């Protein structure tokens, strides 16, 4: 058994797709704009051409009240909706700051490792964690 897909509720799937593929550099697994359907995946790696097993991340419209309540409650509590692993949090922080991404603070280290949290502009906080 493996994880095939999970979802992240967003305010605007098309805008989220543009941010996640353009700024965060994920790859598009599927885009069907006429159905407001956008699925991204880890970027392809040069070694094998696949993105971490190609687990899909559905950029889920938050037009369902249950999804919207969940997304808004996480955001209001300041909790990240998802965690992405990166090899170097400080380098990714610098790259994203230069791209205009707003972080809640500078990278910090604790017993679990180095991490930083940013606002995706689509209704979520996202945590970067050093692999």
């Amino acid at each position: 058994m493996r994880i095939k897909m999970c979802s992240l509720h967003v305010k605007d799937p098309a805008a989220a797709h543009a941010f996640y593929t353009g700024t965060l550099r994920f790859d598009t697994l599927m885009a069907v704009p006429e159905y407001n359907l956008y699925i991204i995946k880890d970027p392809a790696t040069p070694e094998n051409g696949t993105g971490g097993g190609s687990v899909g991340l559905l950029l889920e419209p938050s037009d369902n009240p249950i999804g919207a309540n969940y997304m808004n409650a996480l955001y209001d509590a300041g909790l990240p909706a998802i965690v992405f692993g990166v090899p170097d949090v400080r380098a990714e922080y610098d790259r994203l700051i230069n791209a205009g991404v707003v972080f809640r603070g500078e990278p910090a280290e604790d017993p679990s490792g180095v991490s930083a949290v940013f606002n995706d502009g689509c209704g979520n906080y996202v945590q970067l964690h050093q692999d």
Side-chain angles (χ1 to χ4, degrees):
M1 192 176 306
R2 66 183 177 83
I3 297 172
K4 179 160 179 137
M5 187 176 318
C6 56
S7 64
L8 179 67
H9 288 273
V10 296
K11 291 180 179 179
D12 179 344
H17 179 258
F19 176 77
Y20 279 75
T21 57
T23 304
L24 299 185
R25 299 181 179 165
F26 283 90
D27 287 340
T28 300
L29 184 61
M30 179 185 292
V32 187
E34 57 271 22
Y35 292 106
N36 211 20
L37 174 62
Y38 298 91
I39 304 171
I40 59 170
K41 67 180 184 78
D42 288 347
T45 57
E47 300 83 39
N48 62 14
T50 64
S54 296
V55 173
L57 178 60
L58 172 62
L59 301 171
E60 184 87 44
S62 61
D63 53 2
N64 177 311
I66 295 168
N69 289 340
Y70 176 73
M71 179 186 71
N72 292 329
L74 283 177
Y75 188 87
D76 291 345
L79 298 173
I82 195 162
V83 178
F84 295 136
V86 295
D88 184 338
V89 168
R90 287 180 175 85
E92 194 66 15
Y93 170 86
D94 290 340
R95 183 185 79 77
L96 292 174
I97 284 285
N98 288 330
V101 175
V102 177
F103 278 79
R104 292 184 49 199
E106 293 190 17
E109 188 165 0
D110 64 23
S112 72
V114 179
S115 62
V117 176
F118 66 88
N119 186 332
D120 71 357
C122 303
N124 299 289
Y125 287 115
V126 175
Q127 181 175 346
L128 298 180
H129 189 268
Q130 197 153 316
D131 290 338

